[in-house]
Amino acid sequence: MPTSFTVVPVEGQEPQPSRPLEDPNQQLAECSSGEPGDGIPKESSPFINSAEMDRGNIYEGKNMALFEEEMDSNPMVSSLLNKLANYTNLTQGVVEHEADEDSKRKEIKAPRMGTFIGVYLPCLQNILGVILFLRLTWIVGTSGVLESFIIVFMCCACTMLTAISMSAIATNGVVPAGGSYYMISRSLGPEFGGAVGLCFYLGTTFAGAMYILGTIEILLTYISPSAAIFKAEDADGETEAMLNNMRVYGTCIVALMAIVVFVGVKYVNKLALVFLSCVILSIFAIYAGVIKTAFDPPDFPICLLGNRTLSRRNFDICAKFIEVNNETVTTKLWSLFCDSRSLNATCDEYFNLNNVTEIQGIPGIASGVLIDNLWSAYTDKGSIIEKKGHPSVTGTEEIKVGGLPYVFTDIMTYFTMLVGIYFPSVTGIMAGSNRSGDLRDAQKSIPTGTILAISTTSFIYLSCIVLFGACIEGVILRDKFGEAVNGNLVIGTLAWPSPWVIVIGSFFSTCGAGLQSLTGAPRLLQAIARDGIIPFLQVFGHGKANGEPTWALLLTACICEIGILIASLDSVAPILSMFFLMCYMFVNLACAVQTLLCTPNWRPRFKYYHWALSFLGMSLCFALMFICSWYYALIAMLIAGCIYKYIEYRGAEKEWGDGIRGLSLNAARYALLRVEHGPPHTKNWRPQVLVLLNLDSEQVVKHPRLLSFTSQLKAGKGLTIVGSVLQGIYLDKYIEAQKAEENIKSLMGVEKTKGFCQIVVSPSFRDGMSHLIQSAGLGGMTHNTVLMAWPQSWKQTDNPFSWKNFVDTVRETTAAQQALLVAKNIDLFPTNQERFSEGNVDVWWIVHDGGMLMLLPFLLRQHKVWRKCKMRIFTVAQMDDNSIQMKKDLQMFLYHLRLNAEVEVVEMFENDISAFTYEKTLMMEQRSQMLKQMQLSKNEREREAQLIHDRNTASHSAAVVKCDAAAAAATPEKVQMTWTKEKFIAEKHKNRETNITGFKDIFNMKPHGVFGSFDRRSEQSSLSARWWT
């Protein structure tokens, strides 16, 4: 975004004639240059001289109507008819592909759609569907009017809250093809967007399977039962035969629909108005039938034996016997319960004890049947549907009902299962947001149309529950497949003028919904694949020359076939409920996060939202997931979690300004402010390392093994800052600084070093190092340890700056009271890919510092490179000390530290040990003994030790200042800082007065000098590193 701009008045410019776009790059360059003749039309603005504009053309082509939402240049009626003729329920990407496919079509700009045509009707068509026609009456009869009302209200409230959040996100910018995936990914980041986008894709695909299964159920159950391929020999095999028929027909229909979509979505577009008309006509037929029942209920008699409902498929007369020519003749119903047609036949006991009665299945809205249907009637699988309160006599023996013409329940029913089956009927609220590019005013149309569609469908569902309970008998409501009414669709028996209106309308409606799911799901997958966040999905971003997602369509058809093979609509519905609920949950989360973060870019035009509503919607979605099916919810969350971790591990880096990044920044700020309150406790201490790297003339790291050693020491935990210094002026070196930072970050990625990079440009190399040591880090997240390589050319007399810079770094680290790790022969250190089968990590523990030097090799051995190495501790004693006792004490000390290491005590002469080191060690030993003798409590000992530590720190700081002044007066000619056991044996017999004075001066500058070495037995050379603490 530019920070400043200049308004230049334009005078005397003639309008340039428009020309076709020949070179996009050339036009882009012209537009950015802003020169005359750039093709930008003149504007009517106070800043532009528009005196030469032809005022007669100002209103040319304009529609000056007060309300022009549905008006173009045509009158209102013709405009509406034109839009209805061009109505489509497909997403905007599909329309573009359709236009590309028809090369003969003239390039005419498609009319922009308003709220009613572009959002309201598509949402209405997607929400009202198969569950309304095939399962809503069964849900009302099973759970009762009250519990059904609760189910519908919860689901509608969930979608309404989601629509509010979606409206806020959709009006905060343009939503291109991808819909909910685009909203979530740009609000919560690529990880959440990819995971939820794929879940939404799976939900849309399984929705297609559910619609196809609904289409087949209508076809084989209510339209043409004789078309079934598999026939059941007895009543027990009917369910299995029906499932096999569903699988065969479903596979054929999936293949047929995939071919239609592959050939061209324009054919789907042509049928969109037919599918919409079927839905609207069916709804009106239901309400017309309800009104008709008030004065003329339809004649649909139900046959009951006692209180048990009988299936009318195998008999026509509801009686045991009838009078024919003054002779009693048994009916077909008699033969179904008895072994012969004679009156003396042996019959079923329940049949003998109870009478056969006939009642009206649809008594009408004024019959008062609503009171009987208020309460639930949950049953187990295989139970007989019974009428409450009807007289019935039960036999003394348990009778076998298999093979008798009763109406049985096919599944066990309970409240949570019905929630999972019903929820797919309220999905489809994203239809408007997916089409924002085709809308005239998306910022206005999406919220208005979506919320109005949800309100309309919620009213339809809630009113249908009450009307079904008030018009239809309870046993008919619980009869899922209409066996008691001669195999008619239950909701069709209520419709007017004929049940076939609902049957045909629901058939085309479900068929069209399945076709649209197979059209929209591949494009959603294509949008995810083209974003490049999931590498293995990139192949699905390609397709035909015009952009049709061929491979994505093939995958969608295969996944849809999985739902077809399940073959049960009641089993598929909870699966897609999980995926849709997860998608809606993250839409609410996205809105809540953006609202709470108050980011400057969060400026939605839809103002009727609040983070509390979004949070409530998210909580409701989460609760509904586990209410529907807890195991399906866990599986869906596991799938989303695996996709999230895969994108995080292998996905491409995307910077979309998402809310999760802003949330992380806020959390980091909060954590830094909390850490700033005080120093870390000893239990929380770990080395926070500042790695000082040297670069060559090409800004390439000289010692990359330093980063390998850092990753082995840190194992991804704690703070790591990788710094380097470029000598010069920043204005001249900023390009080199950027190149150096890129090289270091690339090397950090290769070495798997997790941390931050910081490049300092300074006129002096020494000053740059000092700046890094002083200012690296932020707040409480600052380094406490400095890691650097041993200087290579420190022995050369012509390069005194190498060892001087090194000594100055040692002194500045001491002044900052930080630990210093100096790695010698760092290029021989192991890489992260090497593995030691044996070896030792040696620690020369001269100063009893409380165990810090024990911690460093312990952390190192946590890495797989050093895991099989052993740790050895070497300590120094005087000749007259009790070495055996010191070894035992040190072993006990290591035992309390819970460390496993070998202990070795090296005896040295008193004049070979630094006086300060010996005094420091002696003081710490005496202090420990004194605290034990005082017999203080644990808290008092800790308090006393802290006071002594504070006093010692103050005196140590004063001593460092004095030592710095003394060291500045004399420059040592030669510095020897390597001290090994072999060196000690060779040097202890020499005259100590001939040694260089600067040697002891440096050790006196640094109070704690400790040597550690890494011995790799597989190689002849030994690797050593000096650790300064």
Side-chain angles (χ1 to χ4, degrees):
M1 180 180 292
T3 56
S4 62
F5 60 90
T6 305
V7 178
V8 181
V10 181
E11 297 180 358
Q13 294 184 5
E14 294 295 328
Q16 299 293 328
S18 60
R19 62 176 185 267
L21 180 61
E22 298 177 356
D23 188 358
N25 296 328
Q26 179 181 358
Q27 186 179 11
L28 180 61
E30 292 180 358
C31 292
S32 59
S33 64
E35 296 177 359
D38 56 0
I40 302 176
K42 298 175 100 177
E43 298 179 7
S44 179
S45 170
F47 301 101
I48 300 178
N49 187 4
S50 57
E52 297 180 5
M53 181 180 295
D54 187 5
R55 298 185 181 273
N57 296 329
I58 293 179
Y59 303 110
E60 182 178 353
K62 300 290 185 179
N63 193 329
M64 301 305 294
L66 183 61
F67 301 99
E68 53 177 352
E69 178 182 346
E70 299 294 344
M71 293 192 66
D72 297 321
S73 58
N74 301 326
M76 185 65 178
V77 176
S78 61
S79 175
L80 180 60
L81 294 176
N82 183 29
K83 291 178 184 295
L84 284 174
N86 291 281
Y87 169 76
T88 174
N89 193 29
L90 305 178
T91 58
Q92 70 184 74
V94 180
V95 180
E96 296 168 2
H97 296 156
E98 177 192 350
D100 292 337
E101 198 173 47
D102 192 356
S103 58
K104 297 182 180 180
R105 180 182 300 177
K106 296 181 180 180
E107 295 185 359
I108 301 175
K109 185 178 180 180
R112 293 286 183 174
M113 292 179 289
T115 302
F116 184 76
I117 302 295
V119 180
Y120 179 77
L121 290 181
C123 288
L124 201 70
Q125 181 181 353
N126 279 268
I127 295 174
L128 300 174
V130 61
I131 301 297
L132 170 65
F133 300 121
L134 296 183
R135 293 292 183 268
L136 188 59
T137 54
W138 173 71
I139 291 175
V140 173
T142 303
S143 61
V145 173
L146 294 180
E147 292 186 18
S148 299
F149 199 90
I150 295 174
I151 293 174
V152 175
F153 182 79
M154 282 195 308
C155 296
C156 292
C158 176
T159 55
M160 178 61 76
L161 294 173
T162 304
I164 293 174
S165 301
M166 182 197 69
S167 299
I169 298 174
T171 57
N172 195 49
V174 178
V175 181
S180 60
Y181 158 71
Y182 184 89
M183 288 188 289
I184 296 173
S185 62
R186 269 56 177 183
S187 299
L188 296 180
E191 293 85 2
F192 280 106
V196 181
L198 280 182
C199 288
F200 189 59
Y201 162 74
L202 292 175
T204 306
T205 305
F206 275 101
M210 183 189 71
Y211 292 133
I212 293 173
L213 291 175
T215 302
I216 303 168
E217 183 177 316
I218 295 173
L219 175 65
L220 298 181
T221 306
Y222 308 112
I223 297 179
S224 179
S226 60
I229 299 175
F230 298 92
K231 305 288 185 178
E233 297 179 357
D234 53 7
D236 297 334
E238 289 183 358
T239 302
E240 188 64 29
M242 184 64 180
L243 294 179
N244 291 330
N245 288 321
M246 301 276 269
R247 294 185 180 102
V248 173
Y249 276 94
T251 303
C252 297
I253 292 179
V254 166
L256 179 62
M257 288 185 175
I259 293 174
V260 171
V261 175
F262 177 78
V263 170
V265 295
K266 61 182 180 181
Y267 301 108
V268 182
N269 189 25
K270 299 296 183 183
L271 298 174
L273 186 60
V274 176
F275 300 146
L276 176 64
S277 302
C278 291
V279 173
I280 297 177
L281 186 62
S282 300
I283 297 298
F284 281 118
I286 293 173
Y287 282 104
V290 170
I291 296 173
K292 182 177 179 294
T293 61
F295 53 87
D296 185 17
D299 184 21
F300 280 99
I302 306 171
C303 189
L304 298 178
L305 176 61
N307 65 348
R308 297 176 178 178
T309 308
L310 298 177
S311 174
R312 298 294 291 262
R313 293 182 182 271
N314 298 321
F315 66 93
D316 51 355
I317 299 176
C318 183
K320 292 183 180 181
F321 39 79
I322 58 175
E323 295 287 338
V324 178
N325 298 326
N326 296 326
E327 182 180 356
T328 302
V329 180
T330 59
T331 62
K332 191 175 182 179
L333 179 62
W334 178 282
S335 62
L336 294 176
F337 284 91
C338 303
D339 56 2
S340 68
R341 298 294 296 266
S342 66
L343 295 174
N344 297 326
T346 302
C347 299
D348 180 77
E349 182 182 6
Y350 188 85
F351 182 77
N352 292 328
L353 295 176
N354 292 274
N355 296 325
V356 176
T357 56
E358 194 173 51
I359 63 173
Q360 280 298 325
I362 304 179
I365 194 171
S367 63
V369 74
L370 177 64
I371 304 301
D372 299 331
N373 294 330
L374 284 178
W375 313 108
S376 61
Y378 300 117
T379 57
D380 294 329
K381 180 179 180 180
S383 301
I384 301 175
I385 297 178
E386 300 177 347
K387 178 174 173 54
K388 300 177 184 178
H390 206 71
S392 174
V393 179
T394 305
T396 57
E397 298 180 0
E398 184 179 354
I399 58 175
K400 296 181 180 181
V401 296
L404 299 178
Y406 293 121
V407 179
F408 299 96
T409 57
D410 60 335
I411 58 174
M412 184 176 65
T413 55
Y414 44 91
F415 179 82
T416 57
M417 188 264 300
L418 296 181
V419 175
I421 293 177
Y422 173 76
F423 187 81
S425 65
V426 297
T427 59
I429 62 175
M430 302 288 184
S433 62
N434 292 345
R435 306 155 54 85
S436 61
D438 297 330
L439 302 175
R440 181 188 302 115
D441 186 2
Q443 309 286 339
K444 174 186 176 183
S445 298
I446 290 177
T448 305
T450 305
I451 294 176
L452 187 60
I454 294 176
S455 302
T456 304
T457 54
S458 299
F459 171 78
I460 291 174
Y461 281 124
L462 292 173
S463 61
C464 283
I465 287 175
V466 177
L467 295 177
F468 290 163
C471 296
I472 305 176
E473 183 63 48
V475 292
I476 298 298
L477 291 174
R478 295 194 294 275
D479 184 6
K480 183 186 294 186
F481 302 108
E483 295 181 12
V485 286
N486 298 321
N488 287 308
L489 182 63
V490 175
I491 195 174
T493 60
L494 182 64
W496 181 85
S498 170
W500 287 100
V501 175
I502 297 293
V503 173
I504 301 300
S506 61
F507 176 80
F508 282 107
S509 174
T510 53
C511 183
L515 197 59
Q516 289 159 7
S517 296
L518 288 181
T519 306
R523 282 156 181 82
L524 177 59
L525 181 62
Q526 186 182 46
I528 300 173
R530 286 183 173 178
D531 265 347
I533 60 176
I534 305 178
F536 70 86
L537 289 181
Q538 291 183 357
V539 65
F540 299 108
H542 308 288
K544 293 194 295 186
N546 62 351
E548 284 290 328
T550 307
W551 294 108
L553 175 61
L554 182 62
L555 178 64
T556 302
C558 294
I559 297 176
C560 188
E561 178 63 21
I562 297 176
I564 296 297
L565 294 178
I566 297 175
S568 174
L569 188 148
D570 300 326
S571 300
V572 174
I575 297 177
L576 63 99
S577 295
M578 293 300 108
F579 294 124
F580 279 118
L581 279 169
M582 183 171 292
C583 176
Y584 296 164
M585 179 177 68
F586 280 98
V587 169
N588 286 289
L589 176 62
C591 181
V593 168
Q594 296 281 19
T595 306
L596 290 175
L597 289 178
C598 298
T599 54
N601 189 48
W602 179 246
R603 303 185 303 272
R605 293 186 179 275
F606 181 76
K607 301 301 182 182
Y608 304 101
Y609 69 94
H610 194 269
W611 67 266
L613 294 177
S614 300
F615 185 79
L616 178 61
M618 180 186 68
S619 303
L620 186 57
C621 291
F622 185 77
L624 284 175
M625 287 179 64
F626 284 89
I627 288 175
C628 294
S629 176
W630 64 268
Y631 48 89
Y632 278 156
L634 292 178
I635 293 174
M637 294 174 68
L638 179 63
I639 293 174
C642 292
I643 299 172
Y644 178 93
K645 296 304 293 184
Y646 177 81
I647 297 174
E648 187 180 46
Y649 179 70
R650 293 291 303 275
E653 292 291 336
K654 297 290 184 180
E655 180 52 56
W656 289 330
D658 52 87
I660 293 297
R661 181 173 177 83
L663 192 63
S664 301
L665 291 174
N666 277 2
R669 170 184 168 275
Y670 176 77
L672 284 174
L673 293 176
R674 291 292 302 272
V675 173
E676 185 72 14
H677 286 173
H681 193 271
T682 307
K683 296 179 181 179
N684 299 326
W685 192 94
R686 66 168 57 246
Q688 316 283 7
V689 181
L690 169 63
V691 185
L692 300 179
L693 298 178
N694 291 328
L695 305 177
D696 58 14
S697 59
E698 298 296 329
Q699 316 307 329
V700 179
V701 178
K702 289 184 178 180
H703 305 293
R705 294 291 177 85
L706 268 178
L707 293 180
S708 302
F709 179 72
T710 303
S711 62
Q712 295 164 18
L713 181 65
K714 300 288 293 179
K717 305 296 190 300
L719 175 68
T720 300
I721 303 175
V722 181
S724 186
V725 177
L726 294 181
Q727 192 168 356
I729 301 175
Y730 181 72
L731 293 178
D732 301 330
K733 294 284 186 177
Y734 70 92
I735 297 180
E736 288 85 347
Q738 293 177 356
K739 181 179 179 182
E741 185 175 359
E742 292 176 359
N743 293 338
I744 292 177
K745 286 184 176 179
S746 176
L747 184 60
M748 291 173 65
V750 172
E751 298 294 341
K752 297 181 180 180
T753 303
K754 298 180 180 179
F756 308 96
C757 178
Q758 188 169 351
I759 303 296
V760 173
V761 180
S762 176
S764 170
F765 185 83
R766 178 185 180 279
D767 292 341
M769 287 292 186
S770 178
H771 295 161
L772 275 177
I773 294 174
Q774 294 179 55
S775 61
L778 178 65
M781 292 295 290
T782 55
H783 61 281
N784 54 26
T785 305
V786 178
L787 172 61
M788 61 186 303
W790 184 270
Q792 293 179 334
S793 57
W794 67 277
K795 289 185 178 181
Q796 299 178 7
T797 57
D798 57 345
N799 187 14
F801 296 101
S802 176
W803 62 265
K804 285 184 178 180
N805 290 332
F806 175 74
V807 172
D808 289 337
T809 303
V810 173
R811 297 175 64 190
E812 288 169 355
T813 306
T814 304
Q817 299 183 5
Q818 296 173 357
L820 176 63
L821 277 67
V822 180
K824 188 176 182 182
N825 297 328
I826 185 61
D827 294 330
L828 301 178
F829 272 51
T831 62
N832 292 329
Q833 288 72 33
E834 296 185 40
R835 302 290 184 273
F836 290 155
S837 59
E838 58 180 1
N840 297 316
V841 179
D842 295 341
V843 178
W844 286 82
W845 197 36
I846 299 177
V847 177
H848 295 187
D849 59 349
M852 175 185 170
L853 283 178
M854 311 298 180
L855 180 64
L856 296 177
F858 169 78
L859 294 175
L860 199 62
R861 290 181 62 211
Q862 303 305 306
H863 197 272
K864 50 190 173 183
V865 174
W866 304 89
R867 189 164 295 162
K868 295 183 179 180
C869 295
K870 298 179 181 179
M871 187 170 67
R872 297 189 301 184
I873 307 296
F874 293 87
T875 188
V876 178
Q878 294 184 2
M879 292 300 182
D880 55 351
D881 286 338
N882 188 348
S883 301
I884 298 176
Q885 185 62 35
M886 288 183 62
K887 184 174 182 179
K888 291 181 179 179
D889 293 341
L890 185 55
Q891 289 175 341
M892 182 58 66
F893 180 70
L894 293 176
Y895 175 77
H896 289 301
L897 289 178
R898 303 173 302 282
L899 296 174
N900 296 322
E902 299 179 7
V903 178
E904 298 291 341
V905 179
V906 179
E907 295 182 351
M908 299 180 66
F909 292 101
E910 183 178 356
N911 57 353
D912 291 332
I913 305 176
S914 171
F916 183 86
T917 301
Y918 175 74
E919 180 184 359
K920 187 75 174 178
T921 304
L922 183 62
M923 288 175 59
M924 293 188 67
E925 291 177 351
Q926 292 176 352
R927 185 184 310 144
S928 300
Q929 294 177 1
M930 181 180 65
L931 290 175
K932 290 180 180 179
Q933 292 173 0
M934 293 173 65
Q935 297 181 354
L936 300 175
S937 64
K938 181 179 179 181
N939 294 333
E940 292 172 342
R941 284 201 305 269
E942 292 179 355
R943 192 182 306 113
E944 186 67 22
Q946 185 64 33
L947 290 174
I948 296 173
H949 171 73
D950 295 339
R951 295 171 188 167
N952 193 37
T953 301
S955 63
H956 165 66
S957 301
V960 168
V961 175
K962 183 184 292 185
C963 290
D964 288 346
T971 302
E973 298 177 358
K974 182 179 181 182
V975 180
Q976 174 69 37
M977 296 192 67
T978 303
W979 186 260
T980 63
K981 189 174 182 180
E982 291 79 11
K983 178 71 177 177
F984 162 70
I985 296 174
E987 294 289 334
K988 71 177 182 178
H989 300 293
K990 291 184 179 181
N991 187 4
R992 308 301 299 175
E993 296 179 357
T994 61
N995 286 344
I996 301 173
T997 57
F999 179 79
K1000 289 187 178 180
D1001 291 338
I1002 295 177
F1003 276 96
N1004 287 333
M1005 284 190 303
K1006 186 66 180 177
H1008 308 73
V1010 186
F1011 173 82
S1013 67
F1014 306 114
D1015 180 19
R1016 298 199 296 183
R1017 297 183 180 179
S1018 59
E1019 300 181 10
Q1020 296 295 328
S1021 61
S1022 62
L1023 308 181
S1024 60
R1026 181 168 300 276
W1027 293 346
W1028 297 84
T1029 63

